[in-house]
Amino acid sequence: AQSVAQPEDQVNVAEGNPLTVKCTYSVSGNPYLFWYVQYPNRGLQFLLKYITGDNLVKGSYGFEAEFNKSQTSFHLKKPSALVSDSALYFCAVRVRKTGNNRKLIWGLGTSLAVNP
Amino acid sequence: GAGVSQSPSNKVTEKGKDVELRCDPISGHTALYWYRQSLGQGLEFLIYFQGNSAPDKSGLPSDRFSAERTGGSVSTLTIQRTQQEDSAVYLCASSADPGAEAFFGQGTRLTVV
């Protein structure tokens, strides 16, 4: 079965420290990979995506993520966390195939708390 | 429109009543998703429309839930005989193609009293 795992329900980091939010996936073939963020009482916002090419992708708000095919991972990173980064982060994957079986598959989310 | 629009933004209904939630996707987007999210929780997939293909209804929790997408654009999610456990935020998203990101509406907060 195709799935996305975010192994940590919550991540706590101090402001100014680097942060990592983990994501691993299990899908057939090469996937499209996405990260979204949801701030409190707000809708989901797209952060970044991996389609093809360079394994390191850069997105909004200074975030980046690295696609690792051998480890089937797409961890989200930021060199220096801000208190305003505190939010719920979701990883998603979409398979590369035609037909109806192309829906996004979502992780359960990771709550990031950045402490001042 | 500029983004995905959902209406109403809030809906309070009595247990047993039917409700309709509306989603206007971004023009030209072929894929449309409905999700449900309880407070601080993950996304619960409900239904997925892709072009003219038959929708993927595998996430609908019961036969009280149904959705349609008319003309490949606007979608309506209908919940019949609402129950208190149906209370949640219902999110709609659309995307242009498999490699494109999905854009989310602000959601409809449904409260069943």
Side-chain angles (χ1 to χ4, degrees):
Chain A
Q2 302 183 108
S3 63
V4 175
Q6 293 181 241
E8 300 155 317
D9 291 336
Q10 176 136 0
V11 171
N12 294 292
V13 299
E15 187 173 29
N17 283 1
L19 69 86
T20 299
V21 182
K22 296 179 180 177
C23 173
T24 59
Y25 62 89
S26 174
V27 298
S28 56
N30 295 317
Y32 300 110
L33 296 155
F34 304 86
W35 274 102
Y36 288 78
V37 60
Q38 187 176 35
Y39 298 103
N41 300 313
R42 302 278 295 277
L44 275 89
Q45 299 177 32
F46 168 75
L47 268 182
L48 51 79
K49 66 181 178 181
Y50 171 80
I51 303 300
T52 188
D54 193 349
N55 290 343
L56 183 65
V57 294
K58 295 185 183 296
S60 307
Y61 313 120
F63 284 92
E64 59 188 29
E66 185 167 13
F67 170 57
N68 188 317
K69 186 174 182 178
S70 63
Q71 297 185 3
T72 61
S73 67
F74 190 56
H75 301 331
L76 181 71
K77 299 182 179 182
K78 187 173 181 179
S80 178
L82 300 173
V83 172
S84 58
D85 292 330
S86 299
L88 196 53
Y89 290 81
F90 291 96
C91 179
V93 62
R94 193 172 186 183
V95 297
R96 300 176 186 251
K97 57 172 64 174
T98 58
N100 198 31
N101 190 20
R102 291 185 289 172
K103 69 184 181 188
L104 280 165
I105 303 166
W106 294 84
L108 294 180
T110 298
S111 179
L112 173 67
V114 181
N115 307 306
Chain B
V4 178
S5 177
Q6 291 188 246
S7 61
S9 55
N10 281 283
K11 176 72 176 179
V12 180
T13 189
E14 292 181 352
K15 178 181 174 181
K17 300 283 190 183
D18 298 351
V19 295
E20 283 190 353
L21 312 180
R22 178 187 169 102
C23 173
D24 281 276
I26 294 173
S27 178
H29 280 192
T30 57
L32 186 148
Y33 303 82
W34 281 100
Y35 296 94
R36 181 165 70 174
Q37 186 179 33
S38 299
L39 186 64
Q41 301 299 307
L43 298 175
E44 178 185 1
F45 166 74
L46 296 177
I47 188 168
Y48 163 55
F49 296 90
Q50 176 62 54
N52 295 322
S53 302
D56 177 349
K57 303 180 181 180
S58 61
L60 295 178
S62 76
D63 59 7
R64 297 187 295 106
F65 288 72
S66 62
E68 62 178 20
R69 188 179 185 191
T70 55
S73 182
V74 172
S75 178
T76 302
L77 177 69
T78 301
I79 309 173
Q80 296 178 311
R81 305 180 302 281
T82 52
Q83 304 294 314
Q84 287 186 329
E85 60 263 29
D86 299 335
S87 297
V89 175
Y90 288 81
L91 295 168
C92 176
S94 70
S95 69
D97 61 52
E101 60 269 31
F103 292 85
F104 281 80
Q106 291 299 304
T108 295
R109 182 176 298 277
L110 175 67
T111 304
V112 182
V113 297

